[in-house]
Structures are given as C-alpha cells and as structure tokens.
Amino acid sequence: METNNLLAPLFFVLIGLMGGAILKFGLKKMPLPYTVGLFAFGLLIGTFDRIGWLESIPILKSSIDFAGNANPDMILYIFLPILIFDAAYELDVHIFRKTLTNATILSVPGVIIAMLLTATLMIGIGTFAPSYEGPLH
C-alpha cells in the first residue's frame, strides 16, 4: 500500500494527461469547450471516488485522494498556466481584435458591479449575522 502512495502523484499526472488528450481529440467536432470537458471529467472522476466505485483500484484511489488534498498553489502555478496557454494557442486573432473593444467596455463595469454586489452581500451578512464576522480560521 505504501508503494501506491508514492506513485500516486505520477499516476495522477498520467491519468490527467491521457484524459486530457482523449478529451482534446474527442471534443474537436463538438461545440463543447475543452475546459468545460476537463471540468466535467474531473467531476465524474471525483463523483466515482465519493461513491466508492474506485475502491477496487487502490492506485487510482490513491491518486484521486492525492489530487483532492493537493496544495491550491499547485493548481494555481501548474495547471492554470497550461489551460491559459491552450486557450491562447487556440485563439482566433481576427475575432479577438474584432471583439476586444466590446469585451473591455463590458468587462470593466461588470467587474465593478460584481465587486459592489459582493461588498453589499458581505456587509449584509455582517449586519444580520454578526457571528460570521472576522477572518476564517
């Protein structure tokens, strides 16, 4: 069982790469974006783990547990740049230039409105439920 724990990160990377490659190939003719397919793949594997269907494959169970308990910085610094690079690589420059002005005009007020709504929600929670004030521990 100890060997499974040592090989879990490697097996996780292999399963992730193989699953990503299969999804990339399989989603070429479908309108579903690649990142949405990856998200659905992760949800499916995580659901199988929670239900207990992966108990019979200990190396897969160990690798899924490794991924579930991964450091959030690993996701931020390793997986996010790969997804951003893929999106930039697949980007159509002509469409990007054509929609850049509209996207910028809509995104700046959108971020400001989301920020104000979040602040209002947090102030409301602090007012009506004072026990939830303060930092999380």
Side-chain angles (χ1 to χ4, degrees):
M1 193 64 156
E2 185 65 31
T3 305
N4 287 341
N5 291 335
L6 293 175
L7 293 177
L10 177 64
F11 196 71
F12 171 71
V13 170
L14 289 176
I15 291 293
L17 288 174
M18 286 190 320
I22 291 169
L23 277 173
K24 186 76 165 177
F25 178 74
L27 293 176
K28 278 193 187 275
K29 303 287 185 198
M30 295 179 66
L32 188 69
Y34 177 61
T35 51
V36 175
L38 285 176
F39 180 71
F41 177 69
L43 280 178
L44 189 68
I45 294 293
T47 302
F48 288 167
D49 183 43
R50 293 282 180 157
I51 292 172
W53 289 359
L54 302 178
E55 296 292 332
S56 62
I57 310 169
I59 184 71
L60 185 58
K61 173 81 172 129
S62 296
S63 67
I64 300 300
D65 290 341
F66 163 77
N69 298 321
N71 186 355
D73 292 335
M74 182 179 76
I75 296 169
L76 182 66
Y77 295 128
I78 294 175
F79 296 118
L80 186 62
I82 294 170
L83 291 174
I84 291 172
F85 172 78
D86 180 62
Y89 187 75
E90 299 289 329
L91 182 71
D92 186 3
V93 177
H94 176 71
I95 294 174
F96 176 71
R97 285 185 183 154
K98 195 173 180 181
T99 59
L100 179 63
T101 304
N102 289 339
T104 304
I105 288 171
L106 291 173
S107 66
V108 171
V111 168
I112 292 171
I113 290 170
M115 178 183 64
L116 292 174
L117 288 174
T118 303
T120 304
L121 178 69
M122 291 294 108
I123 290 171
I125 289 173
T127 302
F128 295 111
S131 63
Y132 289 113
E133 282 186 346
L136 298 173
H137 295 283

